[in-house]
Amino acid sequence: MAPYDLPVVLGQLGANSVYLLLGIAFGYILEASGFGDSRKLAGQFFFRDLAVLQVMFTAIITCMVLVFWATALGWLDYEALWVNPTYLGPDIVGGLLMGVGFIIGGFCPGTSLVSVATLKLDGIFFAGGVLLGILVFGETVPSFTRFYTSSFYGRLTLQDWLGLETGTVVVLAVCMALFMFWGGGRIRALVVGKERP
Amino acid sequence: MKLNAQILAGSVLVLAALGLKIYGQPKVADQWTHVAPKFEPLLENREVQIDPGELHDLMFDTSIKLLMLDVRDESCYNIFHLQDAILVTLEELPQLQWHTFPANTVVVTMSNDERDATEAWKRLKLLQVPNAYILEGGINRWLDIFGHDEHHEFCAPDPTQLGNEVLRHKFLAALGHRQLAAHPEMHHKQERTYTKKVKLANQGRKGGGCG
């Protein structure tokens, strides 16, 4: 039953090969989706281009359905999956910082690496900034550890938060995603229509 | 054509989600069926049932964090429980935020005998708790060994009552942990020999993130 400890199952070389293949596939998909272009990414925030919403949210709900179907069929042990623990205050501040960086720079960390792969200068500078930011964080985090580890809620999932069963949450998430795709398309049509004389 | 493909994909996802809601997620019994080949031998070979003497030694072991979970009903817990043992129901086990406990946490489940503690242990293994054990013989055996102030002939093991999760030992008052048997003195360590079974296992979970 998944998840499998790949180094144990395939050996370290086999596991590294799997990681490499997954990374190549992920990078390929991101580049094929146009996410190596900062203009396409930034366009999300101005409702000019909803590719980020459509691709990422589609991936999320597809993965959600597959994960919970695999769990229901006994192929996957959901409790063994890592879920990032929730630190609400730091998560909000970190999300805000990342959002500001995203719209200013036009990349998130992953897509900046995609851009670096195709030698785009803005991606290279953004990735350099990410590495510098990581270094600065590592050197300064002892000074704000109290905040960094505050408002801890543990392994908190939507099912836990809403008090609903898993199937209900999945249905709601899928419906919400499809509604957002439809609504986003309508908003995009309005925005693009207004921009054209 | 593109719109039809989008509608088809969206419909497939909605149908899959609705199907998942109807099919449901596996119940505890179903989950255990999948992992039973891995964990049932541990129970059958008595590899996770630790002697009261070993639990007693763990109480004084500063290299580990000992978490004792008492899964009996509240009245038994109030009558007598081990010092620092936490009363918890089986349904509350998933809410204990297991991943926040340090890697050297040893969890010992206990009930009056072993039946309910074993069920709790199974739930802990489903929750990926690595260092989980069962108090062998339960509270009844603990009190058989360490005794209590009101120990008398009615506390002797009754073959017809063994294993049915009844607290055999009689107490005149519900003192909880406020008696010597709840936390026996360290000198008891020299009085009991047992096979050591607790071995710290790695947590195994790894971090992750995305960008």
Side-chain angles (χ1 to χ4, degrees), chain A residues 43-54 57 175-193:
Chain A
Q44 175 67 51
F45 297 93
F46 302 99
F47 293 102
R48 285 196 218 105
D49 191 326
L50 299 180
V52 174
L53 173 72
Q54 291 166 339
F57 219 146
C175 291
M176 183 183 74
L178 295 178
F179 177 75
M180 287 174 66
F181 295 162
W182 172 82
R186 301 287 290 218
I187 295 174
R188 178 183 175 277
L190 282 171
V191 169
V192 172

Side-chain angles (χ1 to χ4, degrees), chain B residues 105-120:
Chain B
T105 300
V106 175
V107 183
V108 180
T109 63
M110 57 193 68
S111 53
N112 285 326
D113 293 301
E114 282 185 21
R115 186 192 65 198
D116 294 347
T118 300
E119 184 58 35

Side-chain angles (χ1 to χ4, degrees), chain B residues 106-170:
Chain B
V106 175
V107 183
V108 180
T109 63
M110 57 193 68
S111 53
N112 285 326
D113 293 301
E114 282 185 21
R115 186 192 65 198
D116 294 347
T118 300
E119 184 58 35
W121 180 86
K122 290 181 179 179
R123 304 268 180 124
L124 293 181
K125 300 319 287 184
L126 291 174
L127 292 168
Q128 305 289 312
V129 175
N131 302 307
Y133 295 89
I134 302 165
L135 176 61
E136 188 175 59
I139 296 293
N140 282 328
R141 184 137 185 266
W142 177 278
L143 290 169
D144 288 340
I145 291 168
F146 294 104
H148 58 97
D149 295 340
E150 297 147 53
H151 203 109
H152 50 61
E153 64 275 13
F154 292 110
C155 300
D158 179 354
T160 65
Q161 298 292 324
L162 286 177
N164 65 354
E165 294 294 349
V166 171
L167 182 62
R168 278 189 281 107
H169 293 261
K170 308 304 176 193

